[in-house]
PDB file of all heavy atoms in Angstrom:
ATOM      1  N   ASN A   8      -7.655 -13.097 -14.780  1.00  0.00           N
ATOM      2  CA  ASN A   8      -7.822 -11.718 -14.608  1.00  0.00           C
ATOM      3  C   ASN A   8      -8.515 -11.090 -15.811  1.00  0.00           C
ATOM      4  O   ASN A   8      -9.341 -10.182 -15.639  1.00  0.00           O
ATOM      5  CB  ASN A   8      -6.478 -11.013 -14.371  1.00  0.00           C
ATOM      6  CG  ASN A   8      -5.932 -11.302 -12.995  1.00  0.00           C
ATOM      7  OD1 ASN A   8      -6.673 -11.702 -12.088  1.00  0.00           O
ATOM      8  ND2 ASN A   8      -4.637 -11.127 -12.825  1.00  0.00           N
ATOM      9  N   ASP A   9      -8.186 -11.530 -16.996  1.00  0.00           N
ATOM     10  CA  ASP A   9      -8.866 -10.974 -18.171  1.00  0.00           C
ATOM     11  C   ASP A   9     -10.336 -11.310 -18.162  1.00  0.00           C
ATOM     12  O   ASP A   9     -11.221 -10.446 -18.520  1.00  0.00           O
ATOM     13  CB  ASP A   9      -8.245 -11.611 -19.482  1.00  0.00           C
ATOM     14  CG  ASP A   9      -6.852 -11.093 -19.797  1.00  0.00           C
ATOM     15  OD1 ASP A   9      -6.459 -10.097 -19.219  1.00  0.00           O
ATOM     16  OD2 ASP A   9      -6.205 -11.723 -20.619  1.00  0.00           O
ATOM     17  N   LEU A  10     -10.718 -12.531 -17.664  1.00  0.00           N
ATOM     18  CA  LEU A  10     -12.113 -12.878 -17.626  1.00  0.00           C
ATOM     19  C   LEU A  10     -12.845 -11.962 -16.519  1.00  0.00           C
ATOM     20  O   LEU A  10     -13.952 -11.529 -16.738  1.00  0.00           O
ATOM     21  CB  LEU A  10     -12.307 -14.322 -17.140  1.00  0.00           C
ATOM     22  CG  LEU A  10     -11.943 -15.335 -18.246  1.00  0.00           C
ATOM     23  CD1 LEU A  10     -11.866 -16.760 -17.663  1.00  0.00           C
ATOM     24  CD2 LEU A  10     -12.907 -15.352 -19.426  1.00  0.00           C
ATOM     25  N   ILE A  11     -12.166 -11.762 -15.412  1.00  0.00           N
ATOM     26  CA  ILE A  11     -12.779 -10.908 -14.359  1.00  0.00           C
ATOM     27  C   ILE A  11     -13.001  -9.489 -14.854  1.00  0.00           C
ATOM     28  O   ILE A  11     -14.095  -8.912 -14.666  1.00  0.00           O
ATOM     29  CB  ILE A  11     -11.857 -10.889 -13.146  1.00  0.00           C
ATOM     30  CG1 ILE A  11     -11.833 -12.259 -12.432  1.00  0.00           C
ATOM     31  CG2 ILE A  11     -12.235  -9.804 -12.174  1.00  0.00           C
ATOM     32  CD1 ILE A  11     -10.797 -12.441 -11.341  1.00  0.00           C
ATOM     33  N   LYS A  12     -11.984  -8.943 -15.494  1.00  0.00           N
ATOM     34  CA  LYS A  12     -12.089  -7.593 -16.059  1.00  0.00           C
ATOM     35  C   LYS A  12     -13.170  -7.436 -17.066  1.00  0.00           C
ATOM     36  O   LYS A  12     -13.974  -6.444 -17.138  1.00  0.00           O
ATOM     37  CB  LYS A  12     -10.725  -7.080 -16.567  1.00  0.00           C
ATOM     38  CG  LYS A  12      -9.734  -6.888 -15.466  1.00  0.00           C
ATOM     39  CD  LYS A  12      -8.381  -6.526 -16.089  1.00  0.00           C
ATOM     40  CE  LYS A  12      -7.312  -6.420 -14.975  1.00  0.00           C
ATOM     41  NZ  LYS A  12      -5.949  -6.146 -15.516  1.00  0.00           N
ATOM     42  N   ALA A  13     -13.262  -8.432 -17.952  1.00  0.00           N
ATOM     43  CA  ALA A  13     -14.250  -8.450 -19.013  1.00  0.00           C
ATOM     44  C   ALA A  13     -15.674  -8.547 -18.425  1.00  0.00           C
ATOM     45  O   ALA A  13     -16.627  -7.763 -18.824  1.00  0.00           O
ATOM     46  CB  ALA A  13     -14.096  -9.579 -19.991  1.00  0.00           C
ATOM     47  N   GLU A  14     -15.911  -9.336 -17.379  1.00  0.00           N
ATOM     48  CA  GLU A  14     -17.191  -9.478 -16.696  1.00  0.00           C
ATOM     49  C   GLU A  14     -17.486  -8.140 -16.054  1.00  0.00           C
ATOM     50  O   GLU A  14     -18.669  -7.672 -16.066  1.00  0.00           O
ATOM     51  CB  GLU A  14     -17.144 -10.649 -15.773  1.00  0.00           C
ATOM     52  CG  GLU A  14     -18.461 -10.938 -15.034  1.00  0.00           C
ATOM     53  CD  GLU A  14     -19.502 -11.513 -16.009  1.00  0.00           C
ATOM     54  OE1 GLU A  14     -19.158 -12.080 -17.061  1.00  0.00           O
ATOM     55  OE2 GLU A  14     -20.695 -11.426 -15.727  1.00  0.00           O
ATOM     56  N   ALA A  15     -16.541  -7.570 -15.346  1.00  0.00           N
ATOM     57  CA  ALA A  15     -16.844  -6.247 -14.686  1.00  0.00           C
ATOM     58  C   ALA A  15     -17.178  -5.198 -15.661  1.00  0.00           C
ATOM     59  O   ALA A  15     -18.174  -4.440 -15.423  1.00  0.00           O
ATOM     60  CB  ALA A  15     -15.621  -5.900 -13.882  1.00  0.00           C
ATOM     61  N   ALA A  16     -16.512  -5.108 -16.748  1.00  0.00           N
ATOM     62  CA  ALA A  16     -16.786  -4.166 -17.769  1.00  0.00           C
ATOM     63  C   ALA A  16     -18.167  -4.341 -18.363  1.00  0.00           C
ATOM     64  O   ALA A  16     -18.914  -3.329 -18.563  1.00  0.00           O
ATOM     65  CB  ALA A  16     -15.721  -4.188 -18.902  1.00  0.00           C
ATOM     66  N   GLY A  17     -18.548  -5.638 -18.487  1.00  0.00           N
ATOM     67  CA  GLY A  17     -19.885  -5.897 -19.055  1.00  0.00           C
ATOM     68  C   GLY A  17     -20.989  -5.478 -18.081  1.00  0.00           C
ATOM     69  O   GLY A  17     -22.123  -5.221 -18.460  1.00  0.00           O
ATOM     70  N   LEU A  18     -20.651  -5.361 -16.784  1.00  0.00           N
ATOM     71  CA  LEU A  18     -21.534  -4.932 -15.824  1.00  0.00           C
ATOM     72  C   LEU A  18     -21.494  -3.451 -15.550  1.00  0.00           C
ATOM     73  O   LEU A  18     -22.185  -2.915 -14.702  1.00  0.00           O
ATOM     74  CB  LEU A  18     -21.329  -5.702 -14.433  1.00  0.00           C
ATOM     75  CG  LEU A  18     -21.570  -7.244 -14.481  1.00  0.00           C
ATOM     76  CD1 LEU A  18     -21.078  -7.887 -13.207  1.00  0.00           C
ATOM     77  CD2 LEU A  18     -23.042  -7.474 -14.647  1.00  0.00           C
ATOM     78  N   GLY A  19     -20.618  -2.785 -16.308  1.00  0.00           N
ATOM     79  CA  GLY A  19     -20.489  -1.366 -16.159  1.00  0.00           C
ATOM     80  C   GLY A  19     -19.668  -0.963 -14.919  1.00  0.00           C
ATOM     81  O   GLY A  19     -19.842   0.142 -14.391  1.00  0.00           O
ATOM     82  N   MET A  20     -18.737  -1.786 -14.538  1.00  0.00           N
ATOM     83  CA  MET A  20     -17.964  -1.593 -13.270  1.00  0.00           C
ATOM     84  C   MET A  20     -16.511  -1.415 -13.682  1.00  0.00           C
ATOM     85  O   MET A  20     -16.024  -1.958 -14.703  1.00  0.00           O
ATOM     86  CB  MET A  20     -18.061  -2.727 -12.335  1.00  0.00           C
ATOM     87  CG  MET A  20     -19.531  -3.056 -11.918  1.00  0.00           C
ATOM     88  SD  MET A  20     -19.657  -4.670 -11.141  1.00  0.00           S
ATOM     89  CE  MET A  20     -18.934  -4.374  -9.573  1.00  0.00           C
ATOM     90  N   GLU A  21     -15.831  -0.601 -12.879  1.00  0.00           N
ATOM     91  CA  GLU A  21     -14.361  -0.548 -13.025  1.00  0.00           C
ATOM     92  C   GLU A  21     -13.761  -1.571 -12.040  1.00  0.00           C
ATOM     93  O   GLU A  21     -14.299  -1.900 -10.984  1.00  0.00           O
ATOM     94  CB  GLU A  21     -13.842   0.833 -12.585  1.00  0.00           C
ATOM     95  CG  GLU A  21     -14.127   1.947 -13.464  1.00  0.00           C
ATOM     96  CD  GLU A  21     -13.573   3.267 -13.009  1.00  0.00           C
ATOM     97  OE1 GLU A  21     -12.628   3.264 -12.237  1.00  0.00           O
ATOM     98  OE2 GLU A  21     -14.122   4.275 -13.471  1.00  0.00           O
ATOM     99  N   CYS A  22     -12.696  -2.269 -12.516  1.00  0.00           N
ATOM    100  CA  CYS A  22     -12.158  -3.341 -11.741  1.00  0.00           C
ATOM    101  C   CYS A  22     -10.590  -3.236 -11.762  1.00  0.00           C
ATOM    102  O   CYS A  22     -10.006  -3.149 -12.894  1.00  0.00           O
ATOM    103  CB  CYS A  22     -12.591  -4.631 -12.292  1.00  0.00           C
ATOM    104  SG  CYS A  22     -11.955  -6.082 -11.463  1.00  0.00           S
ATOM    105  N   ALA A  23      -9.986  -3.347 -10.662  1.00  0.00           N
ATOM    106  CA  ALA A  23      -8.528  -3.460 -10.562  1.00  0.00           C
ATOM    107  C   ALA A  23      -8.227  -4.852  -9.956  1.00  0.00           C
ATOM    108  O   ALA A  23      -9.021  -5.336  -9.112  1.00  0.00           O
ATOM    109  CB  ALA A  23      -7.944  -2.339  -9.698  1.00  0.00           C
ATOM    110  N   VAL A  24      -7.129  -5.419 -10.346  1.00  0.00           N
ATOM    111  CA  VAL A  24      -6.780  -6.770  -9.880  1.00  0.00           C
ATOM    112  C   VAL A  24      -5.391  -6.715  -9.297  1.00  0.00           C
ATOM    113  O   VAL A  24      -4.468  -6.237  -9.997  1.00  0.00           O
ATOM    114  CB  VAL A  24      -6.947  -7.870 -10.897  1.00  0.00           C
ATOM    115  CG1 VAL A  24      -6.623  -9.216 -10.390  1.00  0.00           C
ATOM    116  CG2 VAL A  24      -8.337  -7.875 -11.504  1.00  0.00           C
ATOM    117  N   GLU A  25      -5.131  -7.206  -8.112  1.00  0.00           N
ATOM    118  CA  GLU A  25      -3.838  -7.350  -7.473  1.00  0.00           C
ATOM    119  C   GLU A  25      -3.582  -8.701  -6.916  1.00  0.00           C
ATOM    120  O   GLU A  25      -4.588  -9.471  -6.697  1.00  0.00           O
ATOM    121  CB  GLU A  25      -3.713  -6.325  -6.372  1.00  0.00           C
ATOM    122  CG  GLU A  25      -3.851  -4.864  -6.719  1.00  0.00           C
ATOM    123  CD  GLU A  25      -2.739  -4.300  -7.553  1.00  0.00           C
ATOM    124  OE1 GLU A  25      -1.622  -4.940  -7.564  1.00  0.00           O
ATOM    125  OE2 GLU A  25      -2.912  -3.271  -8.210  1.00  0.00           O
ATOM    126  N   GLN A  26      -2.345  -9.085  -6.747  1.00  0.00           N
ATOM    127  CA  GLN A  26      -1.979 -10.409  -6.184  1.00  0.00           C
ATOM    128  C   GLN A  26      -0.766 -10.257  -5.383  1.00  0.00           C
ATOM    129  O   GLN A  26       0.154  -9.454  -5.686  1.00  0.00           O
ATOM    130  CB  GLN A  26      -1.748 -11.431  -7.285  1.00  0.00           C
ATOM    131  CG  GLN A  26      -1.561 -12.832  -6.818  1.00  0.00           C
ATOM    132  CD  GLN A  26      -0.127 -13.199  -6.343  1.00  0.00           C
ATOM    133  OE1 GLN A  26       0.907 -12.688  -6.801  1.00  0.00           O
ATOM    134  NE2 GLN A  26      -0.119 -14.086  -5.348  1.00  0.00           N
ATOM    135  N   SER A  27      -0.738 -10.864  -4.250  1.00  0.00           N
ATOM    136  CA  SER A  27       0.490 -10.985  -3.353  1.00  0.00           C
ATOM    137  C   SER A  27       0.568 -12.277  -2.681  1.00  0.00           C
ATOM    138  O   SER A  27      -0.477 -12.849  -2.287  1.00  0.00           O
ATOM    139  CB  SER A  27       0.474  -9.730  -2.400  1.00  0.00           C
ATOM    140  OG  SER A  27       1.617  -9.889  -1.531  1.00  0.00           O
ATOM    141  N   ASN A  28       1.779 -12.712  -2.369  1.00  0.00           N
ATOM    142  CA  ASN A  28       2.032 -13.891  -1.634  1.00  0.00           C
ATOM    143  C   ASN A  28       2.281 -13.542  -0.176  1.00  0.00           C
ATOM    144  O   ASN A  28       2.498 -14.407   0.670  1.00  0.00           O
ATOM    145  CB  ASN A  28       3.203 -14.633  -2.174  1.00  0.00           C
ATOM    146  CG  ASN A  28       2.907 -15.262  -3.514  1.00  0.00           C
ATOM    147  OD1 ASN A  28       1.869 -15.849  -3.702  1.00  0.00           O
ATOM    148  ND2 ASN A  28       3.790 -15.128  -4.430  1.00  0.00           N
ATOM    149  N   HIS A  29       2.191 -12.252   0.181  1.00  0.00           N
ATOM    150  CA  HIS A  29       2.525 -11.828   1.527  1.00  0.00           C
ATOM    151  C   HIS A  29       1.277 -11.164   2.196  1.00  0.00           C
ATOM    152  O   HIS A  29       0.728 -10.176   1.656  1.00  0.00           O
ATOM    153  CB  HIS A  29       3.655 -10.772   1.438  1.00  0.00           C
ATOM    154  CG  HIS A  29       4.877 -11.303   0.741  1.00  0.00           C
ATOM    155  ND1 HIS A  29       5.758 -12.228   1.340  1.00  0.00           N
ATOM    156  CD2 HIS A  29       5.340 -11.163  -0.488  1.00  0.00           C
ATOM    157  CE1 HIS A  29       6.671 -12.497   0.475  1.00  0.00           C
ATOM    158  NE2 HIS A  29       6.448 -11.908  -0.680  1.00  0.00           N
ATOM    159  N   GLU A  30       0.873 -11.737   3.292  1.00  0.00           N
ATOM    160  CA  GLU A  30      -0.347 -11.275   4.029  1.00  0.00           C
ATOM    161  C   GLU A  30      -0.209  -9.803   4.377  1.00  0.00           C
ATOM    162  O   GLU A  30      -1.239  -9.045   4.296  1.00  0.00           O
ATOM    163  CB  GLU A  30      -0.574 -12.168   5.218  1.00  0.00           C
ATOM    164  CG  GLU A  30      -0.931 -13.582   4.859  1.00  0.00           C
ATOM    165  CD  GLU A  30      -0.993 -14.497   6.056  1.00  0.00           C
ATOM    166  OE1 GLU A  30      -0.673 -14.080   7.149  1.00  0.00           O
ATOM    167  OE2 GLU A  30      -1.462 -15.664   5.814  1.00  0.00           O
ATOM    168  N   GLY A  31       0.925  -9.352   4.805  1.00  0.00           N
ATOM    169  CA  GLY A  31       1.059  -7.918   5.212  1.00  0.00           C
ATOM    170  C   GLY A  31       0.846  -6.990   4.025  1.00  0.00           C
ATOM    171  O   GLY A  31       0.257  -5.916   4.216  1.00  0.00           O
ATOM    172  N   VAL A  32       1.281  -7.348   2.820  1.00  0.00           N
ATOM    173  CA  VAL A  32       1.063  -6.633   1.619  1.00  0.00           C
ATOM    174  C   VAL A  32      -0.449  -6.566   1.314  1.00  0.00           C
ATOM    175  O   VAL A  32      -0.968  -5.475   0.923  1.00  0.00           O
ATOM    176  CB  VAL A  32       1.898  -7.137   0.467  1.00  0.00           C
ATOM    177  CG1 VAL A  32       1.519  -6.453  -0.840  1.00  0.00           C
ATOM    178  CG2 VAL A  32       3.379  -7.020   0.751  1.00  0.00           C
ATOM    179  N   ILE A  33      -1.070  -7.662   1.526  1.00  0.00           N
ATOM    180  CA  ILE A  33      -2.518  -7.685   1.266  1.00  0.00           C
ATOM    181  C   ILE A  33      -3.278  -6.736   2.220  1.00  0.00           C
ATOM    182  O   ILE A  33      -4.152  -6.011   1.829  1.00  0.00           O
ATOM    183  CB  ILE A  33      -3.107  -9.140   1.372  1.00  0.00           C
ATOM    184  CG1 ILE A  33      -2.542  -9.947   0.173  1.00  0.00           C
ATOM    185  CG2 ILE A  33      -4.597  -9.121   1.353  1.00  0.00           C
ATOM    186  CD1 ILE A  33      -2.816 -11.440   0.319  1.00  0.00           C
ATOM    187  N   ILE A  34      -2.873  -6.687   3.465  1.00  0.00           N
ATOM    188  CA  ILE A  34      -3.473  -5.832   4.445  1.00  0.00           C
ATOM    189  C   ILE A  34      -3.217  -4.357   3.975  1.00  0.00           C
ATOM    190  O   ILE A  34      -4.126  -3.519   4.052  1.00  0.00           O
ATOM    191  CB  ILE A  34      -2.883  -6.059   5.886  1.00  0.00           C
ATOM    192  CG1 ILE A  34      -3.255  -7.469   6.381  1.00  0.00           C
ATOM    193  CG2 ILE A  34      -3.428  -4.946   6.806  1.00  0.00           C
ATOM    194  CD1 ILE A  34      -4.706  -7.708   6.479  1.00  0.00           C
ATOM    195  N   ASP A  35      -2.026  -4.055   3.528  1.00  0.00           N
ATOM    196  CA  ASP A  35      -1.747  -2.714   3.002  1.00  0.00           C
ATOM    197  C   ASP A  35      -2.580  -2.361   1.851  1.00  0.00           C
ATOM    198  O   ASP A  35      -3.092  -1.214   1.704  1.00  0.00           O
ATOM    199  CB  ASP A  35      -0.213  -2.598   2.661  1.00  0.00           C
ATOM    200  CG  ASP A  35       0.712  -2.609   3.876  1.00  0.00           C
ATOM    201  OD1 ASP A  35       0.254  -2.346   4.994  1.00  0.00           O
ATOM    202  OD2 ASP A  35       1.862  -2.892   3.645  1.00  0.00           O
ATOM    203  N   MET A  36      -2.873  -3.335   0.978  1.00  0.00           N
ATOM    204  CA  MET A  36      -3.763  -3.114  -0.200  1.00  0.00           C
ATOM    205  C   MET A  36      -5.160  -2.730   0.290  1.00  0.00           C
ATOM    206  O   MET A  36      -5.821  -1.873  -0.178  1.00  0.00           O
ATOM    207  CB  MET A  36      -3.845  -4.367  -1.048  1.00  0.00           C
ATOM    208  CG  MET A  36      -2.634  -4.642  -1.840  1.00  0.00           C
ATOM    209  SD  MET A  36      -2.998  -6.189  -2.752  1.00  0.00           S
ATOM    210  CE  MET A  36      -1.319  -6.629  -3.254  1.00  0.00           C
ATOM    211  N   LEU A  37      -5.622  -3.483   1.331  1.00  0.00           N
ATOM    212  CA  LEU A  37      -6.938  -3.201   1.862  1.00  0.00           C
ATOM    213  C   LEU A  37      -7.011  -1.840   2.541  1.00  0.00           C
ATOM    214  O   LEU A  37      -8.027  -1.099   2.263  1.00  0.00           O
ATOM    215  CB  LEU A  37      -7.322  -4.279   2.890  1.00  0.00           C
ATOM    216  CG  LEU A  37      -7.492  -5.723   2.358  1.00  0.00           C
ATOM    217  CD1 LEU A  37      -7.762  -6.710   3.487  1.00  0.00           C
ATOM    218  CD2 LEU A  37      -8.518  -5.786   1.281  1.00  0.00           C
ATOM    219  N   HIS A  38      -5.965  -1.428   3.203  1.00  0.00           N
ATOM    220  CA  HIS A  38      -5.978  -0.110   3.816  1.00  0.00           C
ATOM    221  C   HIS A  38      -5.994   0.951   2.750  1.00  0.00           C
ATOM    222  O   HIS A  38      -6.713   1.955   2.831  1.00  0.00           O
ATOM    223  CB  HIS A  38      -4.807   0.072   4.719  1.00  0.00           C
ATOM    224  CG  HIS A  38      -4.889  -0.671   6.023  1.00  0.00           C
ATOM    225  ND1 HIS A  38      -3.942  -0.617   7.007  1.00  0.00           N
ATOM    226  CD2 HIS A  38      -5.790  -1.589   6.397  1.00  0.00           C
ATOM    227  CE1 HIS A  38      -4.248  -1.456   7.959  1.00  0.00           C
ATOM    228  NE2 HIS A  38      -5.408  -2.031   7.667  1.00  0.00           N
ATOM    229  N   ALA A  39      -5.225   0.783   1.684  1.00  0.00           N
ATOM    230  CA  ALA A  39      -5.121   1.762   0.586  1.00  0.00           C
ATOM    231  C   ALA A  39      -6.440   1.779  -0.228  1.00  0.00           C
ATOM    232  O   ALA A  39      -6.687   2.798  -0.840  1.00  0.00           O
ATOM    233  CB  ALA A  39      -3.953   1.352  -0.347  1.00  0.00           C
ATOM    234  N   ALA A  40      -7.158   0.741  -0.207  1.00  0.00           N
ATOM    235  CA  ALA A  40      -8.461   0.714  -0.967  1.00  0.00           C
ATOM    236  C   ALA A  40      -9.546   1.501  -0.329  1.00  0.00           C
ATOM    237  O   ALA A  40     -10.511   1.923  -1.003  1.00  0.00           O
ATOM    238  CB  ALA A  40      -8.917  -0.793  -1.150  1.00  0.00           C
ATOM    239  N   MET A  41      -9.396   1.822   0.939  1.00  0.00           N
ATOM    240  CA  MET A  41     -10.444   2.508   1.684  1.00  0.00           C
ATOM    241  C   MET A  41     -10.634   3.942   1.023  1.00  0.00           C
ATOM    242  O   MET A  41      -9.705   4.718   0.815  1.00  0.00           O
ATOM    243  CB  MET A  41     -10.097   2.665   3.167  1.00  0.00           C
ATOM    244  CG  MET A  41     -10.127   1.410   3.908  1.00  0.00           C
ATOM    245  SD  MET A  41      -9.513   1.428   5.562  1.00  0.00           S
ATOM    246  CE  MET A  41     -10.458   2.771   6.310  1.00  0.00           C
ATOM    247  N   GLY A  42     -11.894   4.193   0.738  1.00  0.00           N
ATOM    248  CA  GLY A  42     -12.230   5.476   0.064  1.00  0.00           C
ATOM    249  C   GLY A  42     -11.943   5.563  -1.412  1.00  0.00           C
ATOM    250  O   GLY A  42     -12.326   6.537  -2.037  1.00  0.00           O
ATOM    251  N   VAL A  43     -11.300   4.511  -1.950  1.00  0.00           N
ATOM    252  CA  VAL A  43     -11.025   4.512  -3.405  1.00  0.00           C
ATOM    253  C   VAL A  43     -11.940   3.536  -4.115  1.00  0.00           C
ATOM    254  O   VAL A  43     -12.387   3.849  -5.226  1.00  0.00           O
ATOM    255  CB  VAL A  43      -9.531   4.074  -3.617  1.00  0.00           C
ATOM    256  CG1 VAL A  43      -9.237   3.926  -5.086  1.00  0.00           C
ATOM    257  CG2 VAL A  43      -8.537   5.031  -2.945  1.00  0.00           C
ATOM    258  N   TYR A  44     -12.275   2.423  -3.484  1.00  0.00           N
ATOM    259  CA  TYR A  44     -13.111   1.368  -4.092  1.00  0.00           C
ATOM    260  C   TYR A  44     -14.349   1.220  -3.296  1.00  0.00           C
ATOM    261  O   TYR A  44     -14.468   1.494  -2.104  1.00  0.00           O
ATOM    262  CB  TYR A  44     -12.355   0.033  -4.151  1.00  0.00           C
ATOM    263  CG  TYR A  44     -11.137   0.045  -4.971  1.00  0.00           C
ATOM    264  CD1 TYR A  44      -9.817   0.258  -4.493  1.00  0.00           C
ATOM    265  CD2 TYR A  44     -11.218  -0.078  -6.381  1.00  0.00           C
ATOM    266  CE1 TYR A  44      -8.780   0.281  -5.292  1.00  0.00           C
ATOM    267  CE2 TYR A  44     -10.141  -0.114  -7.214  1.00  0.00           C
ATOM    268  CZ  TYR A  44      -8.919   0.125  -6.663  1.00  0.00           C
ATOM    269  OH  TYR A  44      -7.811   0.168  -7.468  1.00  0.00           O
ATOM    270  N   ASP A  45     -15.385   0.822  -4.014  1.00  0.00           N
ATOM    271  CA  ASP A  45     -16.712   0.576  -3.399  1.00  0.00           C
ATOM    272  C   ASP A  45     -16.769  -0.799  -2.771  1.00  0.00           C
ATOM    273  O   ASP A  45     -17.648  -1.099  -1.889  1.00  0.00           O
ATOM    274  CB  ASP A  45     -17.792   0.724  -4.418  1.00  0.00           C
ATOM    275  CG  ASP A  45     -17.859   2.155  -5.025  1.00  0.00           C
ATOM    276  OD1 ASP A  45     -18.018   3.058  -4.224  1.00  0.00           O
ATOM    277  OD2 ASP A  45     -17.670   2.285  -6.224  1.00  0.00           O
TER     278      ASP A  45
END
C-alpha cells in the first residue's frame, strides 16, 4: 500500500486503499465510490 500511494502521489493523483475478505463489502465499496473517485 505504501508503494501504491507513493506511485500515485508521484503521478499527482490522490489514492485511497481498502481491503476486504467479503465480496458484499467490496460491492458496497464500489457503490460508495461512485461520484467520489475517477
Side-chain angles (χ1 to χ4, degrees):
N8 288 342
D9 289 345
L10 290 170
I11 291 169
K12 290 175 184 177
E14 185 69 24
L18 295 170
M20 302 165 74
E21 289 183 20
C22 179
V24 182
E25 300 288 343
Q26 188 276 328
S27 179
N28 291 317
H29 305 282
E30 293 171 356
V32 172
I33 292 171
I34 297 300
D35 290 341
M36 287 179 196
L37 296 176
H38 289 186
M41 292 172 53
V43 176
Y44 295 96
D45 299 300

